[in-house]
Amino acid sequence: MSSADIIREVERETALELEALLGAADRRAAAVIDAATAAVHARIEAAIDREEPAVRAEAGKRVNAARSRLNQRRVERSLARTSAVHAAASARLEAIAQGADVQRWSMALEGLAREALDLVGSGAQIRVRRRDAGLVGAVAEATSATLEVVDDEAPAGVVARSDDGRIEVDATIPVRLDRARVRLAETVAARLGIGG
């Protein structure tokens, strides 16, 4: 064998050996990369598992805060509407009580007087504005109630007190409106799902 053949043979064997070494290095590198990738994925999954409860809790807090803001807006809007209804009713009743609709006020005042006197019993005292004394006189007489006349600046409506003074029923317009406002607010609160 000539020296050229020996050189070619050495080069061929070297190339085969180099190819085998490179193949083994590639396989080791691929195994290291696969192991590193699996380790990274495992660490990521572990981090997600550790942080997931905190993320869910934060998401829940944000949802609850948004619901709270929405409920607050609903409450504010309902409060504004309730206040507007109350103000409109108050203005309308005050106008009626001041003479805008005499027939309607006469019927309303008579109803208020009867209701108040039914609650306190016969022989009671009924307090009424001077301008309304004539409208309540017949009701007072029918129940043996004494009529106390106050000046016209007093609130419209009647106040009845039992003959022994232990029971007093305030059926003036401001008091009745306040009671109605409370009932309206309770109804609105129940519909909004707030309150006790």
Side-chain angles (χ1 to χ4, degrees):
M1 209 183 201
S2 72
S3 64
D5 287 338
I6 293 175
I7 291 176
R8 274 195 297 273
E9 185 61 28
V10 168
E11 285 177 350
R12 187 182 67 75
E13 286 177 6
T14 303
L16 286 174
E17 196 175 307
L18 183 61
E19 203 174 300
L21 287 173
L22 287 175
D26 284 345
R27 286 188 297 278
R28 279 195 309 267
V32 167
I33 289 171
D34 288 345
T37 301
V40 166
H41 284 292
R43 291 174 79 188
I44 289 171
E45 289 296 322
I48 289 172
D49 289 345
R50 273 191 320 272
E51 296 302 319
E52 186 175 15
V55 169
R56 284 187 186 194
E58 183 62 29
K61 285 179 187 176
R62 289 182 182 193
V63 167
N64 288 340
R67 284 182 181 151
S68 179
R69 285 190 305 272
L70 178 62
N71 279 340
Q72 183 63 32
R73 286 187 197 124
R74 284 181 181 164
V75 167
E76 288 168 359
R77 191 172 55 239
S78 294
L79 179 60
R81 287 180 183 160
T82 301
S83 294
V85 167
H86 184 266
S90 179
R92 179 72 176 127
L93 284 171
E94 189 61 33
I96 290 170
Q98 295 304 327
D101 188 342
V102 176
Q103 182 180 3
R104 195 171 192 184
W105 178 241
S106 173
M107 290 182 347
L109 189 61
E110 186 177 311
L112 289 173
R114 286 186 193 285
E115 182 181 312
L117 289 170
D118 283 347
L119 292 170
V120 297
S122 63
Q125 180 182 29
I126 189 163
R127 187 171 56 225
V128 66
R129 297 184 307 177
R130 184 176 320 286
R131 71 183 335 167
D132 296 330
L135 301 174
V136 177
V139 175
E141 191 176 308
T143 59
S144 303
T146 58
L147 202 58
E148 177 188 350
V149 178
V150 295
D151 97 40
D152 286 338
E153 298 304 313
V158 298
V159 177
R161 187 176 306 119
S162 63
D163 60 350
D164 62 4
R166 292 179 18 192
I167 302 172
E168 182 175 281
V169 175
D170 189 336
T172 57
I173 297 302
V175 170
R176 294 294 292 245
L177 278 173
D178 285 344
R179 286 188 206 137
R181 184 180 196 156
V182 168
R183 286 193 304 271
L184 180 61
E186 288 171 351
T187 301
V188 169
R191 291 206 178 172
L192 289 175
I194 56 178

